[in-house]
Amino acid sequence: MSSEAPRPRVLVVDDDESIRRFLEIALRSRGYEVFEAAGARAALTAAPDVRPDIVILDLGLPDGDGVDVTKHLRAADHASILILSVRDQEDQKVAALEAGAEDYLTKPFGIEELHARLRVLLRRRAAHGGEKQIKTGDLEIDLARRVVKIRGKAVHLTPTEYDLLKALLQADGRVLTHGQLLQRVWGDTYASEGHLLRVNVSNLRRKIEPDPAAPRYVITEPRVGYRLVIDE
């Protein structure tokens, strides 16, 4: 990161001091300005003063619910939120994403994966409005023209498949839960119609994936949702 640009500010919220120290050392070495909070109250107190670009939030806090912290931070629009969770917190993870968190990592995690996720969130915060046009691998998407191509050849998508791909693209690489996708593509009355989502994801993959059985672009996040992989 350029030394002339302000360093991205990250607030790490975790009651485990060893994790906070690990993240502080690792992120500072990569150009971030790092702040710490050991619990929910400390996080909500610190956020208005720190004004972080990103909050890395552990769900398992001793003095509050990580989902509630997410809702408070989102209501105040303080920062992008990346959730840390363990594997037995799937329901909380989904609830946090639906409350406004942008992404999550499951413990244990690698620092390079975390750094990649943070770069995506920072790029998303810096992006300007307007219709997106991207190329990732052999896949090209031009939302302004409603054109999707694979290896330069136009692909015909149904309106539903296109809306699904558009929702994933507009998420800029972050995971969207099953509920979020159902609401965005089909509407509020389809919250329990998971089979519609599964069928349309399968159909979309058949049209854009080199190998639908081993997806390259539309990636499943088990028990949570889907994300669109966007190359750096």
Side-chain angles (χ1 to χ4, degrees):
M1 296 179 186
S2 171
S3 60
E4 297 178 359
R7 292 188 295 165
R9 299 163 70 87
V10 176
L11 175 62
V12 177
V13 184
D14 198 304
D15 64 321
D16 187 328
E17 184 176 2
S18 64
I19 290 180
R20 296 200 311 272
R21 292 291 176 263
F22 165 72
L23 291 176
E24 179 186 18
I25 293 169
L27 294 177
R28 284 189 188 280
S29 72
R30 288 163 173 79
Y32 295 88
E33 190 172 1
V34 182
F35 304 84
E36 300 177 26
R41 287 190 296 272
L44 295 176
T45 299
D49 295 328
V50 171
R51 300 198 62 81
D53 298 295
I54 298 173
V55 175
I56 299 176
L57 175 64
D58 182 29
L59 286 177
L61 300 173
D63 63 339
D65 183 355
V67 175
D68 288 339
V69 175
T70 299
K71 290 177 180 177
H72 280 93
L73 292 171
R74 180 54 56 236
D77 196 28
H78 282 307
S80 298
I81 304 168
L82 185 146
I83 295 295
L84 297 182
S85 72
V86 294
R87 294 191 183 279
D88 62 356
Q89 292 176 316
E90 295 291 343
D91 291 343
Q92 284 182 291
K93 183 191 301 178
V94 172
L97 289 166
E98 292 185 336
E102 280 83 359
D103 204 351
Y104 76 92
L105 276 178
T106 300
K107 297 178 180 179
F109 56 88
I111 193 62
E112 291 306 324
E113 181 181 8
L114 172 63
H115 186 36
R117 300 289 182 91
L118 296 181
R119 289 199 306 270
V120 169
L121 293 179
L122 290 170
R123 185 174 67 236
R124 185 168 177 264
R125 286 176 65 82
H128 298 291
E131 296 291 349
K132 293 182 67 66
Q133 181 176 351
I134 65 105
K135 185 176 189 301
T136 180
D138 293 328
L139 174 64
E140 298 177 60
I141 308 170
D142 185 340
L143 293 186
R145 298 171 56 215
R146 292 182 66 89
V147 172
V148 178
K149 296 181 180 180
I150 291 290
R151 294 181 294 279
K153 183 177 180 181
V155 176
H156 173 71
L157 301 180
T158 68
T160 298
E161 291 162 359
Y162 177 83
D163 287 344
L164 178 59
L165 183 61
K166 178 179 178 179
L168 290 167
L169 174 62
Q170 290 178 328
D172 273 322
R174 67 186 173 95
V175 64
L176 292 180
T177 68
H178 301 120
Q180 287 171 327
L181 282 166
L182 285 165
Q183 192 278 330
R184 294 182 190 192
V185 177
W186 285 274
D188 293 332
T189 60
Y190 286 80
S192 62
E193 304 293 336
H195 66 285
L196 283 176
L197 180 58
R198 291 190 296 273
V199 168
N200 279 274
V201 167
S202 177
N203 290 341
L204 177 61
R205 282 172 169 164
R206 284 194 294 102
K207 294 180 178 181
I208 69 171
E209 297 283 1
D211 180 2
R216 157 73 175 81
Y217 304 114
V218 180
I219 304 300
T220 300
E221 297 289 350
R223 299 177 59 190
V224 177
Y226 300 93
R227 74 168 75 240
L228 181 69
V229 172
I230 300 174
D231 293 338
E232 288 291 320

